[in-house]
Amino acid sequence: MEKSFIMIKPDGVQRGLVGDIISRFETKGFKLVGLKQMSVSRDLAEAHYAVHKERPFFKGLVDYIISAPVVAMVWEGEGVIASARKLIGATNPLESEPGTIRGDYGITIGRNIIHGSDAPETAQSEIKLWFGDDLCDWESVMQPWLYE
Ligand code: IDP
Ligand code: MG
């Protein structure tokens, strides 16, 4: 089963959106297999966003991610990586569709509430980076009502 790394960024936590965001993933049918609130070190934020290190917004992005606690999660389910990106919406919240998390709650790209892995390879490396092997493997009683 596919897994995706999802992080509620500091603005999402500060604005009290944690419950709503978790609820969206939960009611969609995905299974929560990792969850922790944490303050992020500069090293971890830089490693997570290493692909963007040459971009002009990199320092501001890292400063934002370490400015207050985040909620890091791993969600599991069929097609969860692509589906989570749809639930999250486009990177720029003004271009995200209403009904998506960024579309409903955000205005600017530099405060876009949530991160979601963009492909199987990045999902795997991000889960390793943030959780190591510390995931919860459990069986949901809803499984037969979600999958045929
Ligand atoms: P994604 O989060 O939708 O995958 P990416 O292009 O991978 O978007 O960018 C990573 C994060 O970097 C964005 O979610 C956003 O927080 C930040 N970011 C991207 N572009 C800009 C920008 O032009 N200004 C400020 N922050 C940006
Ligand atoms: Mg990205």
Side-chain angles (χ1 to χ4, degrees):
M1 207 48 110
E2 203 171 73
K3 292 185 181 69
S4 186
F5 174 70
I6 305 293
M7 171 181 53
I8 305 173
K9 296 175 178 180
D11 50 333
V13 175
Q14 291 286 351
R15 291 179 53 205
L17 301 176
V18 172
D20 176 86
I21 289 170
I22 289 178
S23 185
R24 289 179 185 223
F25 283 86
E26 215 168 29
T27 52
K28 173 74 177 166
F30 295 129
K31 190 170 81 171
L32 186 62
V33 296
L35 173 70
K36 58 184 173 185
Q37 182 169 34
M38 57 189 282
S39 298
V40 183
S41 68
R42 185 170 290 277
D43 281 355
L44 177 56
E46 287 182 352
H48 176 74
Y49 282 119
V51 67
H52 294 306
K53 67 172 180 293
E54 305 304 334
R55 311 286 285 278
F57 59 79
F58 182 70
K59 178 159 189 308
L61 172 59
V62 169
D63 287 342
Y64 158 49
I65 295 301
I66 68 174
S67 64
V70 303
V71 172
M73 300 179 279
V74 179
W75 287 90
E76 185 181 284
E78 206 170 295
V80 64
I81 297 170
S83 177
R85 296 281 293 188
K86 284 188 191 159
L87 292 174
I88 288 169
T91 305
N92 182 346
L94 286 183
E95 286 161 15
S96 312
E97 293 298 325
T100 65
I101 294 164
R102 288 168 173 166
D104 285 348
Y105 299 130
I107 299 172
T108 63
I109 196 165
R111 294 289 182 272
N112 64 358
I113 304 155
I114 182 165
H115 166 86
S117 304
D118 62 7
E121 308 73 51
T122 46
Q124 210 183 4
S125 63
E126 289 171 1
I127 291 167
K128 201 85 203 156
L129 179 67
W130 289 81
F131 283 88
D133 293 320
D134 197 13
L135 297 178
C136 187
D137 186 21
W138 62 290
E139 214 151 286
S140 166
V141 295
M142 289 206 292
Q143 176 98 0
W145 302 103
L146 288 162
Y147 300 96
E148 59 176 16

